[in-house]
Amino acid sequence: MSLIDWLVLCSTLLFIITYGVYKNRRHKNIKDYLKGGNKSSWWTVGLSVMATQASAITFLSTPGQAYFEGMGFIQFYFGLPLAMIIICVFFLPIYKKLKVYTAYEFLENRFNLKTRILTASLFLIQRGLAAGITIYAPAIILSVILGWNLKIMVIVIGLLVIFYTLFGGTQAVNLTQKQQMFIIFLGMTVAFIFLNKSLPEEINFSRALNIAGLNGKLNLIDVSIDPKNRYTLWSGLTGGLFLALSYFGTDQSQVQRYLSGKSLIESQKGLIMNGFLKIPMQFFILLTGVMVFVFFQFEKSPIHFNPKAIELIKNSEFKTDFLKLENDNIELHNKKLSFLNKENFFQNDIFKKEYLLLQEEERQNRIKAKALIKKALPSIESNDKDYVFIFYILKYLPTGLIGLLIAVILSAAMSSTASELNALATTSLIDFYKRGYPNLSEKHYVNIAKGFVLFWGLIAILFAAVGNLFENLIEYVNIIGSIFYGTVLGVFLTAFFIKYVNGKAIFIGAILSQIIVISIYYIDIIGYLWLNLIGATITIIFSTILELLFSINHVNSRN
Amino acid sequence: MQKKLVNNEIGKNSFKLKVERNKIYIFLLLLNIIYILFFYFIMKKYSYVFN
């Protein structure tokens, strides 16, 4: 990175952080600190909700996903607008009416203390681990690509987030997220425009889409009912709905964002804004990945996008095999290019078929290269999906824009981590500390909340710093999320929709469901993504049956 | 008291919201369908069927 890139990067991040903290440095009470004094307008709430969900991995991984597998991933978000409506109609009015600070606080009012503590504890375990990953995942990619020291990077990102979350509270998190989203939109739009401009002159946007379509990258909708297909219209509308309901309705890092709204209507509008914009935003990010794919039809792409893996394999005993694959790749690219440059390529089916055969050969070549890397360097991540977009940014974007795009990635990492720390501190204070020590001064609670931000921030840094000690760390955290999310969602759905179930039944039902979900995971009979749905369903069924048994027992004992 | 309030809230039909707000929800649902149809249209327009 050049000096100008460093200036753009540092000034963008430092301005956002200092402005956020300066505007929100004083807090009279915990309402000010944890709910931002309920001053947020609907668009601040909306942007904050979007910024919390959009982590750095969204901007690194999603374009890579589109590059290799097309835009079918968009279907995963089709259940989200419906989830927003359910939350606006059923969840939010009650949260607002009860003036709760955390979603789990509501469960004590609806059921009992035990259920509140159980769900709050599950949130702390799951989110406490995920906060480390939110920092670690982009840091590992940027450190590989830019050659920065991983541990220093983790510590710097972590400390910056702790600084503004601790001193500025919820309002600073919301304000910084608004600006971070502005930078994210700006950076992605500029990159997209630049990408289109850098295609050959005769390839306009429509022609670019033709090439993408020819390669099957625009297969956005899959109506098949084959369970092997991970992303279909049906899995998006059902699984996506459940996932969005549990994430937006019961995860404190999201609940806290919309509870900071000025009024019920402002919070609802904020969530509806998320429902309106989320799908177009994901579509745009995926389309950027597809345009990178089209760009690399005219420009030589490396056989593997992880530069560290390439460097290491070229110094290993597999060097000759790898170089042969690399040369084949260049040859295939040139052949493909000769077809694409033919004047009547788009009208001639034979040319297109020949081109697709070469494309398939190139794909097989990449698979071979990946397998070779896995064989030679088992400890290196052989999946290069996450490296595609950052490779393009660093190699092809002009000076200044590189700094802006790195600021986009770091902003996304920081905005998600800030929400997580903010929510972890709130849950620790409201559901545990304040519940145990109820009548202390407001100032005392604000100080304790700040202490919790520091505590969870340090845990996240520590976890991110030792992240490389665990293999497949990100997958483990996703698994932990899927194991716990289902039960928590089941408890909330029962609370809202099955009025006759009481505290004792839901608590035992949730414990039993959690044991069964963990057992299913250990027996390994189903993919872990399904555990969410199973956990929620079992919790609802068990608690309903148990409540029925308790009431029969109660009637019998009275007779 | 709080518990009663919660149960009352759940007991009430929460759909009895202002008509304007319901209109937004219906619009969002329609928009979701429009998104899906739009994506379907793009897919059909740019996918290739060889003779």
Side-chain angles (χ1 to χ4, degrees), chain A residues 343-360:
Chain A
E343 224 172 73
N344 56 346
F345 173 77
F346 290 98
Q347 287 80 38
N348 191 319
D349 273 2
I350 297 166
F351 289 164
K352 281 189 272 193
K353 276 182 189 166
E354 289 290 330
Y355 161 81
L356 284 180
L357 283 174
L358 291 167
Q359 191 73 280
E360 178 55 25

Side-chain angles (χ1 to χ4, degrees), chain A residues 330-389:
Chain A
I330 294 169
E331 220 170 278
L332 284 168
H333 172 81
N334 291 335
K335 279 187 194 166
K336 269 185 353 187
L337 197 58
S338 69
F339 276 109
L340 283 170
N341 285 336
K342 285 187 196 296
E343 224 172 73
N344 56 346
F345 173 77
F346 290 98
Q347 287 80 38
N348 191 319
D349 273 2
I350 297 166
F351 289 164
K352 281 189 272 193
K353 276 182 189 166
E354 289 290 330
Y355 161 81
L356 284 180
L357 283 174
L358 291 167
Q359 191 73 280
E360 178 55 25
E361 222 176 300
E362 192 186 291
R363 197 178 73 85
Q364 293 299 334
N365 233 17
R366 282 182 190 281
I367 293 171
K368 279 182 206 160
K370 225 182 254 188
L372 202 62
I373 289 170
K374 204 166 193 172
K375 194 172 156 193
L377 316 154
S379 62
I380 289 275
E381 175 59 89
S382 61
N383 190 352
D384 58 342
K385 189 181 77 182
D386 298 344
Y387 293 85
V388 175
F389 191 48

